[in-house]
Amino acid sequence: MSNESAGTTFRYREGLQAPFRDGREGRSLSNATAMFGPRVSSLALGPPPGSFSSDLKTISSSRTGTPRTEQGPFFADYRPGGDEKTSEQRQTELRDQINKETKIKVGSENLLEALISKNVRQTKDQRSRVEAELGSSNRKIIELRFQLEEEIERSKRPITPPRERLSGIFQGSPLKTPQRVDESGQSDGRAEESESPTYILSEILQALEHEGLQPDYYVERANRLVDLLKKYSSLKHDLAWPIFGLRVQTMLLSQSRDVVAAGYRVTRHAIADRRSLQTIRSLNTDELVMLSLVKDSKANIEREQALKFVRAFLDVKGGIHELSHPVLRTIVSVAEHHEDRLRNMSILTLLELLVRKPSMAIASGGMASLTEALLDGTYQGSESMANTLLYLFDKPGDRCYLQSSHELDAAFTIFTDPIAVHPSEEKLKSSARLITALLNSWAGLFSVANDGFAAVRGLLQSLSYPSLLARDLVLDIIFAVLQIKAPSWSSSFLAGRRLTTYGRVANLTASVPVAAAPNRSEDEEESRVCLAEHYTAILLAVLLQSGLHEALFSMIQDEAESALRRKATLLQGEVLDMTNRLLPLIFSSSFQVLPRLVDPVGLTSLDTSLAQVTMTYQVDSVSRTLHRSQAATKPFFEPTKQPKQQSSNPARPKADIDMDEIKFRAAVVDTQILNHVKYIKWNWDLIEELVEGPLKNPKRLSEAVTGTKFLKRLLSFYRPFKYRFSNAPNTKPNQRYVRVGVSLMKTLLLNNEGIAYVSESKFLRQLGECLAQLDRTSGLTSSAPLFSPWHASETLTGGYFSLLGALSSDPKGLQMLERWHMINIFYHIMDLHNRNDLVELLLGNMDFTLHLRVMLSKALTACDKHIRIFSTRLLRQYATLAPNRVDGSGSPSSSSVCEWAIRLLVTQLYDPEVEVCEVAVQILEESCNWKSHLEYVVRCRPQLDHLNEIGAPLLLRFLSTSLGYQYLDRLDYITQEMDDWFSLRNYRYVTLVEASLTRAFTMMMQAPARSSSYDLPRPQDNGFLPPHFYRELTRTREGCDLLRDSGHFYEFVTTITESWAEKEDLEGLMKLKGCLWAVGNVGSMEFGADFLEESDVVRWIVHIAEHSEVTTLRGTAFFVLGLISRSLHGMEIVAEHGWNAATDQSGRSIGYCLPSQLSTFFSIKLPDGAPKGELRRIPKDAPPRPATHEDTVQAQILNLVADTANAVLAKKAANDLNGIKMRHPEAFTSVELYRKMRDVLGSHSFRLPVRRFLLDLFDRSVMRRIVLDEDESEDESIRTERPSQPRPRLP
């Protein structure tokens, strides 16, 4: 079977379809010994016995003989609506269609942008086709998004399925009592509402009594029974198992595969607790499950339901102890069979078993199959499998289950074996993902630390092996584990373009404009602790010590493939930068010398010297370019600017503002505005340069106004009634028209002549008239308004608000808007509750630092929820402004603007919608990074009691100042919060930190695209340390005094000194980690140094980091030492214990602390390979010595059964077994022999085909007698007279 079919194993099918079967596969269910009395009412349950429902037909095989996968209601639980899809499925399909249309739209925009630079006449037809396709995609996206919103709203409303839809699935609804039909043929709907579920259950069980009917009859009743148990879950606790169990046994013994599958499904939904599992096992279901799992692919539905029945044991408390070894051995054999469709589900079952009960998984032989699947590379969930093994490696009590302790090292073999046959690309990529997962966890890093990181050294040495794909993947692994995000120019550099001539890179400068400067305070820099970078620092030290520099230099020097050589050069530049930035001086100094590139003069040949000089130049060029890129790139925490202020190409060289008259006239002519009426033929790049450069000179502007028609035609292009800008498609290339328009408005506002020109032009008058069409009080109407929903989304009409926003940023621009009554129209637009799109365009583009603040206040309080959230997010750019910034344009200072924004945000804390309050808390928390802003927020005295956990981060920030401490102390918040953290939240903090680190290492390298320019950063960024109460408390003297008086810190120290050797108790480990984090957060503050000196706790933390047997506990101590080193006194303390802290250029610690000797830190006791007593395999039971002829035959059969486990003896043993069956067929009707063989199968490893062969040897009546506990002597005469069955063959 193909991998594709194997990959579909995880589709958990629930519903059972009544299949069509001929008479040969139908079997009577006449085995029931207890029967209900006949009831006339049961005849109304459904169609007559033996009939077929038109909605329950299976898909027959094609004429070519190729089997098709059975589909239909069998594969899904009962759903109202029958074959119709659920709301989740419809939403998924709509999202897929939106993604598809979005890709088409992006491709069309890129193609259109490329066609613009070409000859207009030659590409006219092609451009028209692309624009048509782009418009079609935009319309489809809008329609699909509307349908998705409707579907989401519909799914939130409770819907009662109509009777007609239910009756289309089943003749009688499982959720209601079947309708009663009177003499007139009318159904009584009131009867079905009045009957109890117990009555319905008895009717369904009675209906299952009928014998000799078609399989679909029993499958339909089983489906209805499952639906009844799902709706009334209390029924499963009150089942009469003597009767219910007999019905289940009868179904499981049927010869119809679909009836058996229905029986497993009914049994699974009847599980309530461990006691019910014991009752089910007393029905001899273990033998039935073993028989079902070994069947061939024709019985996939039955096998899948049997495996899901076994997996249900894991969902019950204590149910894992009810799993028998024979069943687990069968699952292991399925997991080892590469062609089996249920292999992935079996592996997943073994992984869950390994986590919850490792001894049971090991005793069943599951570790060997898991290790094989891990190294095979075909299992898609290799990372989750590795995480399971790493979970066992973490604690010494579970580490012994990894008997060789080198199971994970084998993942490197596929890269480190130079003479091995080149593996497939899929296996290489799977191993690469596995290695990345290993190196991104503490347990994985410790697991490969033996023998001085021999596995890592071998991986780096594989960079010199001949496999091109393997070398490329090794470089990708290093990029991934070091969290290196490729710069924007990397693709062009790898393609062979020189950095010095690449325009976008060449224009990057180290100086960042003031408007785009990172808006971050020193307090924010000090408060943010990146744990992911701290882990990356020690991982980088391991790679460097394992020979990363030497491997990269050898690859750069000897690599024949230019792309790989450049990729290695780029990686080398990144590694050098990280070495200088993250590692302490004792580590980085030895690697910054680059001895391979600076050999003594005269000891190398001329060619070698030239090659070394070339490599030095390339590495230096990449390093300098990386430095310029990092300086010119906006950080994640910088407040996003408004769309009108964003530039798509900030590196474009601008024209000189002092351009002389001759050059200016020539440039105006080159724009083609004076030569062509069609704006498509204009040179918009040159127009943008002129607008942002020479036109800011009053002399050049006057010449453009009076001397030429340049400015007249350009401004005429934006007039609404010209229908050029307003009818242009809203595409990515066309956004440059909006950018030029915004720049033009700002340029004209710089001098009086430009202001007069705009005021007297028809542009504002026409635009005001179009906006008045939206105002119901203006009296102006239009059959096709310019700002209709379609125009606002599909054309550049929405760009007019960007132009108006540019005017609103200047007092003189506001006067122009007031002249044409546009500001009044803006307030009326806010009242259009059905035009949220226009309200967002208006609010998102206006500048609220001046007159328009009242309009934003109205949006924050009077509009609907969506607009209130949007408006609250707009306040972020004003609330996070750096203090004491004064503009020269007469605008208010940043402090006054920020205080106004903070007041509005505090008001939003009392919004009735929790989502609005949450957004306001996030923005206020970010604004508190500035001390002056924090104090102003405290002076506003916000009340956050009603927000509970949502407002907790903001209250913690108040503790960092004396003013905030006094405010919270008066509210009696501090003592209550301290008690809460000491008793509970300090330990929950451990889970929060570890989850943050896990997400940081597993998320994609590319950051997800934001849906809006005003989207907020996440309140807790992945990989960063969350805020801690004790850390904020020790920022002030008052907080330190309170902490000392409470004695909490010394209790944390006592826990650390007494429990440092804890290694098994999960609760004890969680408590110890919580105390470590509390001590580390206190020690990271300068005021917390006294606590460290008084307690001498750093010595114990270092001891835990170097000697604890729990890997995650060592990692926690490692991070805590980094926290302590952030303070000056803490850095001195950790240095006394042999740990070195990384510092910046000014000598301040950045919080990354590494041990002087990595070998000491990574030394950990590994298991000796000897398993515990409970792990010893179940010994092979020797058959009893035969006393009679019959016993001799059974002994011979059992010996041959044991031989089939041997690959050498299997074929001969199979032939001998077939011979014995021909001579003694009665032997294979013995229940006693079957049970002995079952014990052998449960204590040995057999391949799946062998298990199928052995079970097929026995007569079918054996299973019937075992399940129903029938006496073997009753059927003795029947067995002797039964003709022999065809001999099975061993595959």
Side-chain angles (χ1 to χ4, degrees):
M1 187 177 293
S2 62
N3 292 333
E4 289 78 9
S5 61
T8 61
T9 303
F10 293 99
R11 294 179 298 175
Y12 284 78
R13 302 171 185 153
E14 292 291 339
L16 295 175
Q17 175 187 5
F20 178 81
R21 293 289 185 269
D22 55 17
R24 293 175 296 175
E25 290 196 18
R27 181 170 176 176
S28 171
L29 299 183
S30 60
N31 301 307
T33 58
M35 313 242 335
F36 287 103
R39 300 184 62 160
V40 179
S41 60
S42 64
L43 298 178
L45 281 171
S51 64
F52 296 93
S53 172
S54 59
D55 296 299
L56 296 174
K57 295 181 180 179
T58 56
I59 302 176
S60 60
S61 302
S62 60
R63 296 179 182 271
T64 58
T66 303
R68 297 183 181 179
T69 304
E70 293 183 353
Q71 301 178 355
F74 190 96
F75 298 132
D77 272 352
Y78 165 77
R79 303 186 188 95
D83 294 336
E84 294 187 6
K85 300 173 182 176
T86 63
S87 177
E88 291 78 6
Q89 291 175 328
R90 289 192 293 270
Q91 293 178 27
T92 302
E93 290 184 357
L94 288 173
R95 290 190 179 95
D96 292 341
Q97 294 177 20
I98 291 174
N99 293 335
K100 179 181 178 181
E101 294 297 333
T102 302
K103 292 179 181 178
I104 296 176
K105 175 184 176 182
V106 173
S108 302
E109 289 177 346
N110 295 336
L111 179 58
L112 190 60
E113 190 172 3
L115 293 176
I116 289 177
S117 60
K118 297 183 179 180
N119 189 291
V120 178
R121 185 173 301 175
Q122 295 178 356
T123 60
K124 180 179 180 181
D125 296 338
Q126 191 173 2
R127 285 182 57 187
S128 61
R129 291 195 298 269
V130 174
E131 290 179 351
E133 182 65 28
L134 185 58
S136 174
S137 298
N138 288 330
R139 288 190 295 272
K140 288 181 180 178
I141 290 174
I142 293 175
E143 181 180 357
L144 291 172
R145 286 177 177 172
F146 179 74
Q147 294 178 6
L148 180 60
E149 292 177 358
E150 285 190 338
E151 185 61 39
I152 293 175
E153 292 296 330
R154 189 184 302 114
S155 64
K156 295 179 181 178
R157 298 192 298 265
I159 299 177
T160 303
R163 176 67 192 176
E164 293 77 8
R165 298 179 63 186
L166 292 179
S167 60
I169 303 295
F170 302 115
Q171 298 293 337
S173 171
L175 306 182
K176 299 180 180 179
T177 305
Q179 294 181 348
R180 303 300 180 190
V181 181
D182 55 20
E183 296 179 358
S184 61
Q186 301 295 328
S187 61
D188 185 7
R190 292 172 297 178
E192 63 183 39
E193 295 288 345
S194 61
E195 293 187 0
S196 67
T198 306
Y199 181 73
I200 302 175
L201 175 64
S202 62
E203 285 188 329
I204 296 176
L205 292 178
Q206 184 179 359
L208 291 175
E209 285 183 22
H210 297 291
E211 307 173 3
L213 304 180
Q214 291 293 335
D216 62 346
Y217 176 82
Y218 304 103
V219 170
E220 182 181 353
R221 269 63 185 175
N223 280 336
R224 296 172 58 190
L225 181 57
V226 168
D227 291 323
L228 185 68
L229 292 174
K230 289 170 65 177
K231 183 175 182 180
Y232 304 101
S233 57
S234 60
L235 282 178
K236 62 180 67 175
H237 298 278
D238 303 325
L239 290 175
W241 279 102
I243 301 174
F244 186 84
L246 184 60
R247 299 296 176 269
V248 168
Q249 287 178 318
T250 306
M251 295 182 69
L252 294 178
L253 288 171
S254 173
Q255 293 186 9
S256 171
R257 304 186 185 102
D258 299 316
V259 175
V260 177
Y264 282 123
R265 183 167 175 255
V266 169
T267 310
R268 172 162 56 90
H269 283 86
I271 297 175
D273 48 23
R274 185 176 179 180
R275 185 176 180 181
S276 63
L277 286 178
Q278 296 172 349
T279 304
I280 291 174
R281 287 196 62 198
S282 66
L283 302 177
N284 299 305
T285 55
D286 289 350
E287 285 78 5
L288 293 167
V289 170
M290 291 174 56
L291 181 62
S292 296
L293 288 177
V294 301
K295 291 184 178 180
D296 54 17
S297 59
K298 296 180 180 179
N300 272 336
I301 297 175
E302 175 185 343
R303 299 177 67 233
E304 182 176 338
Q305 290 296 328
L307 186 54
K308 291 169 72 175
F309 167 68
V310 176
R311 286 180 56 82
F313 283 53
L314 303 176
D315 299 330
V316 178
K317 184 179 180 180
I320 193 172
H321 301 287
E322 300 300 327
L323 291 173
S324 63
H325 278 285
V327 172
L328 292 179
R329 285 281 187 181
T330 307
I331 296 177
V332 170
S333 65
V334 175
E336 293 175 346
H337 194 59
H338 293 272
E339 302 298 327
D340 199 283
R341 183 174 166 275
L342 298 181
R343 180 173 182 252
N344 288 345
M345 193 188 294
S346 300
I347 291 176
L348 181 62
T349 305
L350 294 177
L351 288 175
E352 295 181 18
L353 183 65
L354 188 63
V355 171
R356 301 177 61 178
K357 191 69 174 177
S359 59
M360 185 177 293
I362 300 298
S364 302
M367 181 59 72
S369 61
L370 292 178
T371 305
E372 181 185 359
L374 183 67
L375 303 181
D376 181 66
T378 57
Y379 181 64
Q380 299 297 325
S382 57
E383 296 94 333
S384 62
M385 188 183 301
N387 291 332
T388 302
L389 300 179
L390 292 176
Y391 173 80
L392 297 181
F393 190 88
D394 182 30
K395 296 189 292 295
D398 295 334
R399 202 174 298 149
C400 63
Y401 295 115
L402 302 175
Q403 300 179 14
S404 67
S405 72
H406 294 283
E407 286 86 355
L408 296 170
D409 290 354
F412 296 82
T413 306
I414 196 170
F415 289 99
T416 57
D417 190 356
I419 61 176
V421 179
H422 295 304
S424 64
E425 179 180 356
E426 182 64 27
K427 289 186 178 180
L428 279 172
K429 290 183 177 181
S430 177
S431 297
R433 293 192 299 268
L434 177 58
I435 294 173
T436 303
L438 290 179
L439 297 181
N440 276 335
S441 66
W442 283 114
L445 195 55
F446 277 96
S447 68
V448 298
N450 51 346
D451 298 331
F453 290 96
V456 179
R457 291 201 309 271
L459 180 68
L460 296 177
Q461 291 172 2
S462 65
L463 290 173
S464 60
Y465 293 164
S467 176
L468 184 65
L469 178 60
R471 297 199 303 274
D472 188 28
L473 287 176
V474 171
L475 293 179
D476 289 338
I477 291 173
I478 300 174
F479 270 104
V481 298
L482 294 181
Q483 303 292 317
I484 298 175
K485 185 176 180 180
S488 58
W489 46 267
S490 60
S491 58
S492 299
F493 172 69
L494 296 179
R497 186 175 299 184
R498 293 176 57 190
L499 293 177
T500 55
T501 59
Y502 184 32
R504 189 178 295 270
V505 176
N507 291 323
L508 289 174
T509 58
S511 60
V512 185
V514 176
N519 192 15
R520 297 169 65 181
S521 66
E522 293 183 1
D523 295 339
E524 180 185 3
E525 293 283 357
E526 294 178 358
S527 62
R528 297 195 63 81
V529 181
C530 186
L531 301 179
E533 275 199 350
H534 194 187
Y535 181 85
T536 303
I538 194 170
L539 184 57
L540 176 62
V542 169
L543 292 174
L544 291 175
Q545 196 175 65
S546 302
L548 176 60
H549 266 316
E550 292 77 6
L552 290 178
F553 283 133
S554 299
M555 189 174 184
I556 295 172
Q557 184 176 2
D558 303 331
E559 181 60 52
E561 180 65 31
S562 60
L564 277 182
R565 184 171 63 252
R566 285 176 167 266
K567 192 173 186 178
T569 304
L570 178 62
L571 178 58
Q572 183 67 71
E574 293 276 8
V575 168
L576 289 174
D577 176 70
M578 295 179 66
T579 301
N580 182 53
R581 181 167 51 89
L582 301 180
L583 298 184
L585 187 60
I586 189 175
F587 286 96
S588 60
S589 58
S590 58
F591 296 108
Q592 295 289 347
V593 178
L594 306 181
R596 288 284 304 273
L597 300 182
V598 191
D599 289 339
V601 179
L603 298 182
T604 58
S605 61
L606 180 60
D607 295 339
T608 304
S609 299
L610 290 176
Q612 292 176 349
V613 171
T614 302
M615 284 190 291
T616 305
Y617 170 75
Q618 290 179 349
V619 173
D620 178 67
S621 178
V622 169
S623 299
R624 286 187 284 107
T625 306
L626 285 172
H627 178 71
R628 293 198 301 269
S629 301
Q630 293 168 359
T633 302
K634 291 193 303 182
F636 179 75
F637 304 99
E638 178 189 352
T640 53
K641 295 180 290 184
Q642 295 186 11
K644 61 180 184 297
Q645 297 173 339
Q646 294 175 349
S647 175
S648 63
N649 191 4
R652 183 186 304 280
K654 296 182 179 180
D656 186 9
I657 192 174
D658 296 325
M659 181 183 294
D660 58 29
E661 182 179 356
I662 298 177
K663 291 183 179 179
F664 178 72
R665 287 181 176 272
V668 169
V669 173
D670 292 340
T671 60
Q672 302 299 320
I673 290 182
L674 304 178
N675 302 331
H676 298 283
V677 178
K678 295 183 178 180
Y679 66 92
I680 297 178
K681 298 182 178 181
W682 295 353
N683 188 345
W684 284 95
D685 294 336
L686 183 56
I687 294 174
E688 187 173 4
E689 294 178 14
L690 292 178
V691 170
E692 295 181 353
L695 287 181
K696 292 182 178 180
N697 189 334
K699 199 171 187 180
R700 301 284 84 84
L701 179 62
S702 177
E703 183 178 349
V705 172
T706 60
T708 64
K709 293 184 179 181
F710 171 79
L711 198 58
K712 178 181 178 181
R713 290 191 177 182
L714 180 58
L715 195 58
S716 176
F717 165 74
Y718 291 97
R719 285 164 52 183
F721 294 154
K722 288 288 186 178
Y723 296 108
R724 293 197 287 179
F725 175 81
S726 58
N727 277 2
N730 185 13
T731 60
K732 183 179 179 181
N734 288 350
Q735 292 300 317
R736 58 181 178 174
Y737 304 145
V738 181
R739 293 196 304 269
V740 173
V742 171
S743 300
L744 180 62
M745 294 296 108
K746 292 182 178 180
T747 299
L748 294 177
L749 288 173
L750 293 178
N751 56 72
N752 294 329
E753 187 172 1
I755 294 173
Y757 187 80
V758 177
S759 300
E760 301 300 330
S761 66
K762 297 180 181 180
F763 167 70
L764 289 179
R765 185 179 63 187
Q766 293 182 5
L767 186 56
E769 182 179 345
C770 294
L771 288 173
Q773 297 173 2
L774 302 172
D775 187 359
R776 300 173 182 175
T777 63
S778 65
L780 296 179
T781 58
S782 175
S783 58
L786 185 67
F787 290 96
S788 64
W790 185 88
H791 274 89
S793 60
E794 295 297 320
T795 66
L796 293 182
T797 302
Y800 281 119
F801 289 100
S802 298
L803 276 63
L804 294 175
L807 294 176
S808 67
S809 62
D810 189 273
K812 297 177 181 178
L814 286 174
Q815 293 177 4
M816 299 181 196
L817 299 180
E818 290 177 353
R819 177 185 177 186
W820 299 106
H821 308 287
M822 292 188 188
I823 295 181
N824 292 334
I825 297 176
F826 291 164
Y827 284 101
H828 294 156
I829 291 177
M830 301 289 298
D831 297 330
L832 300 177
H833 299 293
N834 59 339
R835 292 301 307 274
N836 283 347
D837 57 332
L838 275 184
V839 178
E840 288 187 5
L841 285 172
L842 175 62
L843 296 175
N845 290 280
M846 293 297 112
D847 191 321
F848 298 102
T849 57
L850 298 175
H851 178 68
L852 301 179
R853 295 183 179 181
V854 179
M855 183 173 67
L856 183 59
S857 301
K858 179 180 180 181
L860 290 169
T861 55
C863 293
D864 58 14
K865 171 185 172 182
H866 177 75
I867 298 299
R868 296 204 307 274
I869 294 176
F870 181 82
S871 305
T872 306
R873 289 177 174 174
L874 287 178
L875 290 173
R876 177 177 177 265
Q877 59 181 321
Y878 304 105
T880 56
L881 288 174
N884 301 325
R885 181 177 64 83
V886 180
D887 295 336
S889 60
S891 301
S893 64
S894 61
S895 298
S896 62
V897 173
C898 186
E899 291 175 0
W900 159 76
I902 289 175
R903 289 195 300 270
L904 291 180
L905 287 171
V906 171
T907 304
Q908 293 304 98
L909 295 176
Y910 311 109
D911 192 276
E913 296 292 341
V914 179
E915 292 86 346
V916 180
C917 301
E918 186 175 3
V919 173
V921 168
Q922 294 176 22
I923 300 174
L924 285 173
E925 185 183 359
E926 185 179 355
S927 179
C928 289
N929 290 325
W930 301 97
K931 185 177 180 180
S932 60
H933 298 350
L934 174 58
E935 292 178 350
Y936 186 79
V937 174
V938 174
R939 286 196 294 270
C940 292
R941 306 176 66 85
Q943 299 293 331
L944 302 175
D945 296 342
H946 62 290
L947 297 181
N948 297 327
E949 293 295 329
I950 296 177
L954 183 59
L955 292 175
L956 286 182
R957 298 302 299 268
F958 290 179
L959 288 174
S960 59
T961 62
S962 297
L963 182 62
Y965 180 90
Q966 296 170 6
Y967 169 68
L968 295 178
D969 190 34
R970 288 193 296 269
L971 297 177
D972 197 22
Y973 166 81
I974 299 178
T975 54
Q976 295 180 8
E977 192 72 5
M978 177 180 285
D979 295 338
D980 191 16
W981 273 82
F982 181 76
S983 60
L984 182 62
R985 296 180 64 178
N986 192 44
Y987 311 119
R988 291 180 179 176
Y989 185 82
V990 178
T991 305
L992 185 63
V993 173
E994 293 181 352
S996 175
L997 282 172
T998 302
R999 288 192 299 267
F1001 291 132
T1002 56
M1003 68 181 183
M1004 298 178 61
M1005 294 295 294
Q1006 292 80 14
R1010 297 184 180 182
S1011 59
S1012 171
S1013 300
Y1014 303 98
D1015 282 351
L1016 294 172
R1018 288 163 293 190
Q1020 176 54 50
D1021 300 312
N1022 295 330
F1024 285 87
L1025 187 69
H1028 198 284
F1029 174 80
Y1030 290 104
R1031 185 183 188 201
E1032 302 299 329
L1033 187 65
T1034 50
R1035 288 181 182 269
T1036 60
R1037 286 293 183 186
E1038 298 90 341
C1040 291
D1041 295 339
L1042 179 62
L1043 180 60
R1044 182 175 283 104
D1045 295 339
S1046 66
H1048 290 181
F1049 182 84
Y1050 303 104
E1051 294 191 30
F1052 293 147
V1053 173
T1054 302
T1055 303
I1056 293 174
T1057 55
E1058 294 179 354
S1059 307
W1060 71 269
E1062 181 62 54
K1063 56 184 178 180
E1064 294 297 338
D1065 184 28
L1066 292 178
E1067 185 177 352
L1069 286 173
M1070 187 69 68
K1071 183 177 181 181
L1072 180 57
K1073 291 178 181 179
C1075 294
L1076 286 172
W1077 283 116
V1079 170
N1081 278 280
V1082 171
S1084 64
M1085 297 289 101
E1086 291 295 341
F1087 291 154
D1090 296 338
F1091 294 94
L1092 300 178
E1093 286 286 353
E1094 295 170 2
S1095 60
D1096 193 26
V1097 69
V1098 176
R1099 177 171 62 88
W1100 289 98
I1101 298 176
V1102 172
H1103 190 74
I1104 293 175
E1106 295 180 352
H1107 298 92
S1108 176
E1109 296 186 38
V1110 182
T1111 60
T1112 54
L1113 188 57
R1114 283 198 183 191
T1116 302
F1118 171 80
F1119 288 132
V1120 169
L1121 290 173
L1123 280 176
I1124 294 175
S1125 69
R1126 292 180 68 85
S1127 64
L1128 179 61
H1129 195 62
M1131 183 172 60
E1132 296 175 355
I1133 296 177
V1134 297
E1136 294 175 359
H1137 292 85
W1139 285 62
N1140 303 282
T1143 57
D1144 56 12
Q1145 295 178 354
S1146 60
R1148 294 182 304 178
S1149 173
I1150 60 176
Y1152 303 150
C1153 185
L1154 299 182
S1156 301
Q1157 299 293 330
L1158 292 179
S1159 58
T1160 304
F1161 177 73
F1162 284 105
S1163 61
I1164 193 169
K1165 183 179 179 181
L1166 298 176
D1168 55 5
K1172 293 182 178 180
E1174 61 175 321
L1175 300 182
R1176 294 191 180 97
R1177 295 180 178 273
I1178 301 175
K1180 178 180 178 180
D1181 296 330
R1185 189 172 185 83
T1188 61
H1189 174 71
E1190 182 178 359
D1191 292 338
T1192 304
V1193 173
Q1194 290 187 7
Q1196 184 180 4
I1197 292 174
L1198 292 175
N1199 285 328
L1200 292 174
V1201 166
D1203 289 341
T1204 55
N1206 190 326
V1208 178
L1209 305 176
K1211 192 169 185 64
K1212 182 178 182 302
N1215 292 332
D1216 293 343
L1217 285 172
N1218 280 324
I1220 293 177
K1221 185 172 183 178
M1222 292 295 296
R1223 296 190 302 270
H1224 306 284
E1226 69 282 355
F1228 291 95
T1229 60
S1230 172
V1231 174
E1232 179 185 1
L1233 178 62
Y1234 182 90
R1235 287 173 174 164
K1236 290 182 178 180
M1237 188 194 71
R1238 179 200 59 187
D1239 295 337
V1240 175
L1241 293 178
S1243 58
H1244 291 73
S1245 296
F1246 290 85
R1247 294 186 299 115
L1248 184 64
V1250 174
R1251 289 179 179 270
R1252 183 183 307 127
F1253 165 77
L1254 294 175
L1255 293 177
D1256 287 345
L1257 288 172
F1258 284 83
D1259 189 81
R1260 294 179 180 178
S1261 62
V1262 175
M1263 183 61 64
R1264 175 189 180 87
R1265 296 199 306 275
I1266 291 176
V1267 173
L1268 298 179
D1269 294 327
E1270 295 179 355
D1271 188 5
E1272 184 177 359
S1273 61
E1274 294 180 2
D1275 296 331
E1276 183 67 27
S1277 59
I1278 300 177
R1279 293 200 307 271
T1280 56
E1281 298 177 0
R1282 181 177 295 135
S1284 61
Q1285 299 177 354
R1287 292 186 299 168
R1289 296 182 178 271
L1290 179 64

